[in-house]
Amino acid sequence: MSAAPLFPGFDGLMTLSRREGVDIRPTLLRVLTDLYVQASAHSADEERQFVELTSRLIDEVDDATRAAVRARLAIYPATPARIMDKLGLRRGGPDQPMPTAAPIPAPTPSALPAKIPTEAELRMAASLAMRPNDAAEISDMFFAANARERAQILHNLQETPLKAAARIPAARAARAIHILEMAAFAEDLDNFTLELGEALILPSRIAAEVVNDPGGEPLACAMRALDVSSAAFQRILMFLNPEAGSSVNYVYRLSRLYDRLSERSALVMLAAWRGSTMAVARNKYRSSLYDDERHRARAAPSQTRPAVQPGNAPAIRNQKSGS
């Protein structure tokens, strides 16, 4: 069965759900349901595909997932009759309209909060080489920003004269993408983080910060730097962290961001992450080296005259001889 436009990136997921050790059925059912209720009406093909997918998954998931899906579809007016019967739902009369699911608001430039640009932002807009301290400030500013500010930062990086990191070789990127997808399917955060750090030449601290960031924008930058396809990125979002991946808002907010994210913006951010590591190392050793030089100068011994000169020692009286 070919996937309808309503469900992009879901080809082969039913086959993956039958693999041993990778049970994606609860997550898949939640995502399909959340995606379906975002529209107030559907075509016949979309309804048919939703019924075929969910009717099989409903019988194969746990009670908690089935209850969550049932509650979601109970207030949706366009739930197919076959799914309502399968979940034991009864629709009210025509005079009792049910509320539709709220659509995901798309960010608009006017909705972005006005703020005074920081020193790092001003340097980003100027002709500037990627110095370690600048890279550290850009990286820290990105991780500290909220979702809308991060989207704006990535948009601005496209036009800045900052030097971007070199592209990852195609063969190395392809091997990394394969390993990352398998680690995401297995929910193996440790191996996912290790492979990401090796592929992008990032220290373990930065790689862990990218993977564990709750917003997901750093992970989108990392995947774009590896030239991961949109469908593969969606699968990684759903499987790597099932708790976050079960939210359609999380998956499709980042999917929209990923589709608009340019390769240059991702590579500039990658250069900032690498440069920030150099800044940390310099700050770590600079103070100790400076103190060593200062202490070395102070530690040079000065020649002092002895308190008692030779020949001037006081005579010791001998009680026996009397001298």
Side-chain angles (χ1 to χ4, degrees), residues 108-154:
T108 58
S110 59
L112 296 176
K115 57 180 295 187
I116 300 176
T118 63
E119 182 181 355
E121 290 174 326
L122 293 175
R123 285 203 299 271
M124 287 168 59
S127 179
L128 144 85
M130 184 71 78
R131 295 176 296 178
N133 288 341
D134 298 319
E137 289 192 31
I138 294 171
S139 176
D140 293 342
M141 178 179 61
F142 180 73
F143 279 112
N146 57 37
R148 291 180 176 178
E149 292 170 343
R150 287 178 174 182
Q152 189 63 43
I153 291 172
L154 293 174

Side-chain angles (χ1 to χ4, degrees), residues 6-226:
L6 176 65
F7 306 115
F10 284 92
D11 289 335
L13 290 182
M14 293 301 294
T15 302
L16 287 173
S17 66
R18 291 190 289 269
R19 289 186 179 179
E20 295 184 0
V22 183
D23 187 9
I24 66 170
R25 292 170 295 183
T27 300
L28 181 57
L29 180 59
R30 287 174 179 265
V31 172
L32 288 174
T33 303
D34 287 343
L35 180 59
Y36 189 80
V37 300
Q38 294 307 309
S40 58
H42 298 278
S43 65
D45 289 338
E46 291 174 345
E47 181 175 336
R48 176 183 55 81
Q49 185 187 15
F50 178 74
V51 170
E52 290 180 358
L53 289 173
T54 55
S55 61
R56 285 179 289 174
L57 291 172
I58 287 173
D59 295 332
E60 299 173 349
V61 298
D62 56 280
D63 294 338
T65 301
R66 191 181 300 109
V69 171
R70 187 178 188 275
R72 189 78 165 137
L73 293 176
I75 62 173
Y76 182 63
T79 302
R82 179 177 169 185
I83 300 300
M84 292 188 65
D85 293 338
K86 199 170 189 64
L87 294 173
L89 298 172
R90 292 294 180 268
R91 193 183 303 278
D95 296 334
Q96 299 176 357
M98 295 186 180
T100 60
I104 303 174
T108 58
S110 59
L112 296 176
K115 57 180 295 187
I116 300 176
T118 63
E119 182 181 355
E121 290 174 326
L122 293 175
R123 285 203 299 271
M124 287 168 59
S127 179
L128 144 85
M130 184 71 78
R131 295 176 296 178
N133 288 341
D134 298 319
E137 289 192 31
I138 294 171
S139 176
D140 293 342
M141 178 179 61
F142 180 73
F143 279 112
N146 57 37
R148 291 180 176 178
E149 292 170 343
R150 287 178 174 182
Q152 189 63 43
I153 291 172
L154 293 174
H155 175 74
N156 293 338
L157 288 180
Q158 171 65 21
E159 305 298 334
T160 57
L162 294 170
K163 185 178 180 181
R167 287 185 179 139
I168 308 300
R172 178 67 181 95
R175 183 168 71 252
I177 292 170
H178 176 73
I179 297 175
L180 290 173
E181 281 204 77
M182 293 301 100
F185 290 150
E187 301 176 21
D188 191 345
L189 281 173
D190 292 339
N191 280 328
F192 188 95
T193 304
L194 178 63
E195 179 61 28
L196 183 69
E198 292 180 354
L200 296 180
I201 319 178
L202 290 174
S204 57
R205 177 183 63 84
I206 298 293
E209 194 171 2
V210 169
V211 173
N212 297 322
D213 185 89
E217 292 85 2
L219 182 61
C221 289
M223 295 298 98
R224 179 59 74 191
L226 289 171

Side-chain angles (χ1 to χ4, degrees), residues 219-238:
L219 182 61
C221 289
M223 295 298 98
R224 179 59 74 191
L226 289 171
D227 197 23
V228 175
S229 66
S230 297
F233 178 62
Q234 290 179 9
R235 292 194 294 268
I236 290 174
L237 286 179
M238 289 190 297

Side-chain angles (χ1 to χ4, degrees), residues 230-301:
S230 297
F233 178 62
Q234 290 179 9
R235 292 194 294 268
I236 290 174
L237 286 179
M238 289 190 297
F239 304 138
L240 182 62
N241 185 349
E243 182 177 356
S246 62
S247 169
V248 70
N249 292 341
Y250 175 83
V251 173
Y252 280 89
R253 175 180 63 82
L254 291 176
S255 297
R256 288 195 299 268
L257 172 69
Y258 193 76
D259 291 338
R260 296 192 299 264
L261 180 61
S262 66
E263 181 188 43
R264 171 172 168 75
S265 297
L267 292 177
V268 171
M269 185 57 66
L270 176 60
W273 290 336
R274 291 174 179 173
S276 66
T277 305
M278 297 176 58
V280 171
R282 286 187 179 184
N283 293 333
K284 177 180 179 182
Y285 292 106
R286 179 177 298 162
S287 59
S288 60
L289 292 176
Y290 175 75
D291 290 340
D292 287 345
E293 291 294 334
R294 185 171 57 180
H295 291 322
R296 189 180 297 114
R298 293 179 176 179

